[in-house]
Amino acid sequence: MSYLLLIIFIIILLYKYNKACCFIVAFYPLLSMIGMTDSINLFQTLSIISILLFILKYHNINRIKFPFYLTIILIIVSYTISNLMNIAHWPTSIAIIASEYIFTIVFWSIVSNKNNRIYFFRYFVIFISIICLYEVYEFLTQSNPLYDFYVNSSMFIGYDADRSEDIRFGTMRCHSLMRDVGAMGTICCMAFCIFFFHLKNGLKNINTYYLYILIALCIICTFLTGTRTVILALIFSMIIISMSLNLKRKLYLWLLSSFMIIIFIDYFQEIIMSFYDTQSVSGSSTYMRHWQYLIVMNAFEKSPLYGLGLEGTSIVINRYVGAFGLESVWFQILINYGLLGVIAFSASLLQGFYFSLKYKNIIAFTIVALFLLVKTMSSIPGIGNGYFLYIIIYLIKCKNSIYENRYNNNA
């Protein structure tokens, strides 16, 4: 089945390259769950093929004015040195670099065109509609038959345990179609920002009322994951975004928020209590995070510069049971790639913040901030470390187009 999907996508890429690439990025979280091998997924495979087709079409990819070349160079250096100094995993490393970073150059070029931005946004709306509506179904029925299918199917990768009975805040934590509750919540937070951006800037690529519905669904679905990290990220995002509103809209937003908190006061009290009393809910606790920190530091001291390699996390987890599900991406990077990996990932975030401010894009800045928050507080399986770049690239291109149109109209 995986290879059949691959063949179908290759055919579409050959005939409708731009649309296919927009669809691939929009459905990244779902495509990355479908395995081609034990360690390489469909999104990564399609990214490599798309890059090769792009080079054949444009010949010289280096001539594209792309803002994140520094990030790509540092990532390549980090992965290369780590592979040379440890047990090499070249195919997987190449797949990660290509899909998470080099493919962003292709996406940058494609969404420079207005029609392609519209394609991407509409595909993204379809994706969010599917996962949010299914999560509502999951909550109402307190069951997830598709997730059960994932766990028992060899077609999907990353599903080693059935967590469908995981309960928090009085209800089942909803995954929807995602690999992890954190991934679902992170996607919803980012979608909330994108939809708000469209409303704020009057980009009417779809019905305005449906955008309001999607925004409401993203907020609801974030809470239904029962994940403290993404709930905090959503609240954090709403606070930053509200700063860009005029006084009237700020009042509307805060009145609505206050009304919702009053209605669901018991639910919010449980959430608030879980932050300072980490033992009150199942999952990560302060003690567990401290124990994981000690384990990570022990592994880091053995190879501080380039880490233990791509399988470093697996080695540590096999040795220390307490390291299972490391609750921060920084822990994983330190173990696998050492300081070079930390520098590379930090550079991607810093460049994201810099270019968001340079292009005066508060929503893109919010995306980087919430991504930093969720990845610091959890590893978010199913969402790669470079995923946020695709989102801010789209937002930056949209905002630049708005500025250009205003300039042309005033000229």
Side-chain angles (χ1 to χ4, degrees):
M1 188 64 178
S2 302
Y3 290 100
L4 177 60
L5 288 173
L6 177 61
I7 292 170
I8 292 172
F9 273 109
I10 290 174
I11 293 171
I12 298 173
L13 278 167
L14 291 173
Y15 286 94
K16 297 288 183 179
Y17 181 81
N18 290 341
K19 286 185 177 180
C21 286
C22 290
F23 182 91
I24 290 167
V25 175
F27 279 79
Y28 163 109
L30 292 184
L31 296 178
S32 64
M33 299 188 309
I34 301 173
M36 301 304 299
T37 69
D38 291 337
S39 58
I40 297 176
N41 61 56
L42 181 58
F43 176 76
Q44 293 170 341
T45 306
L46 290 171
S47 298
I48 294 171
I49 294 170
S50 300
I51 292 166
L52 294 174
L53 291 174
F54 186 82
I55 293 172
L56 289 173
K57 184 177 180 180
Y58 292 98
H59 303 297
N60 194 342
I61 201 170
N62 294 323
R63 292 182 180 178
I64 298 173
K65 294 182 179 180
F66 178 70
F68 298 102
Y69 279 125
L70 175 62
T71 290
I72 295 175
I73 291 170
L74 291 175
I75 289 291
I76 291 173
V77 169
S78 171
Y79 275 66
T80 300
I81 294 177
S82 183
N83 273 296
L84 290 174
M85 302 305 294
N86 296 290
I87 298 174
H89 293 273
W90 291 112
T92 305
S93 297
I94 291 170
I96 293 172
I97 293 170
S99 61
E100 297 292 329
Y101 299 99
I102 297 177
F103 190 41
T104 58
I105 303 174
V106 177
F107 188 64
W108 172 273
S109 178
I110 288 173
V111 294
S112 296
N113 181 279
K114 179 182 178 180
N115 290 331
N116 293 333
R117 290 197 297 273
I118 293 173
Y119 293 143
F120 170 76
F121 181 71
R122 288 177 177 172
Y123 293 145
F124 188 77
V125 165
I126 293 171
F127 165 64
I128 295 299
S129 300
I130 292 170
I131 63 173
C132 283
L133 290 174
Y134 186 75
E135 182 169 349
V136 172
Y137 164 82
E138 180 184 9
F139 172 72
L140 293 175
T141 62
Q142 291 290 285
S143 65
N144 191 332
L146 283 178
Y147 186 76
D148 296 336
F149 170 69
Y150 289 165
V151 173
N152 298 310
S153 174
S154 60
M155 177 179 170
F156 299 91
I157 57 178
Y159 293 88
D160 300 324
D162 183 359
R163 295 178 58 195
S164 60
E165 298 301 319
D166 194 2
I167 305 295
R168 183 177 286 180
F169 307 133
T171 183
M172 186 178 79
R173 302 176 69 187
C174 297
H175 296 75
S176 184
L177 302 178
M178 296 294 98
R179 173 181 169 182
D180 179 76
V181 286
M184 179 63 193
T186 301
I187 294 296
C188 286
C189 289
M190 289 187 168
F192 165 80
C193 294
I194 292 174
F195 297 148
F196 184 89
F197 175 85
H198 273 255
L199 284 175
K200 184 175 183 294
N201 292 284
L203 300 176
K204 299 178 180 179
N205 294 333
I206 64 168
N207 184 276
T208 302
Y209 292 109
Y210 189 59
L211 268 184
Y212 280 114
I213 293 172
L214 285 176
I215 287 174
L217 280 173
C218 287
I219 295 172
I220 292 169
C221 288
T222 299
F223 281 96
L224 291 182
T225 64
T227 307
R228 291 166 293 176
T229 299
V230 296
I231 291 172
L232 181 63
L234 176 65
I235 295 171
F236 176 70
S237 301
M238 293 176 72
I239 292 171
I240 295 180
I241 287 174
S242 67
M243 294 178 183
S244 65
L245 298 175
N246 58 39
L247 181 60
K248 184 178 179 181
R249 289 186 175 182
K250 280 181 182 178
L251 288 174
Y252 280 140
L253 177 63
W254 292 115
L255 284 172
L256 178 61
S257 300
S258 300
F259 180 69
M260 294 297 293
I261 291 172
I262 292 170
I263 293 177
F264 300 103
I265 185 65
D266 292 338
Y267 180 74
F268 282 103
Q269 281 180 337
E270 282 192 62
I271 294 174
I272 293 169
M273 184 176 70
S274 71
F275 280 103
Y276 62 83
D277 181 11
T278 56
Q279 301 293 338
S280 65
V281 295
S282 60
S284 59
S285 63
T286 304
Y287 172 77
M288 186 187 75
R289 290 177 185 272
H290 178 67
W291 175 240
Q292 288 184 351
Y293 170 78
L294 295 176
I295 293 172
V296 170
M297 287 300 101
N298 180 57
F300 172 69
E301 289 173 359
K302 295 177 182 178
S303 182
L305 184 60
Y306 47 79
L308 304 177
L310 190 60
E311 63 180 19
T313 303
S314 299
I315 294 171
V316 172
I317 289 174
N318 290 333
R319 184 173 179 181
Y320 303 99
V321 178
F324 183 79
L326 290 171
E327 291 294 326
S328 175
V329 75
W330 299 102
F331 288 169
Q332 296 182 1
I333 293 174
L334 277 171
I335 292 173
N336 292 351
Y337 306 108
L339 288 175
L340 288 176
V342 169
I343 292 170
F345 184 54
S346 299
S348 71
L349 294 167
L350 290 172
Q351 282 204 293
F353 281 125
Y354 172 76
F355 288 109
S356 296
L357 293 174
K358 179 180 179 180
Y359 295 114
K360 300 177 181 178
N361 197 322
I362 186 64
I363 308 298
F365 183 90
T366 305
I367 290 289
V368 184
L370 78 86
F371 193 79
L372 171 60
L373 175 62
V374 296
K375 280 289 188 178
T376 298
M377 296 184 68
S378 183
S379 58
I380 312 294
I383 302 296
N385 295 343
Y387 177 68
F388 78 99
L389 293 173
Y390 289 104
I391 306 301
I392 66 172
I393 282 171
Y394 169 74
L395 292 172
I396 287 172
K397 283 295 185 180
C398 285
K399 194 63 178 284
N400 288 354
S401 177
I402 292 170
Y403 283 142
E404 289 173 5
N405 290 336
R406 287 176 182 172
Y407 176 81
N408 293 332
N409 290 333
N410 293 330

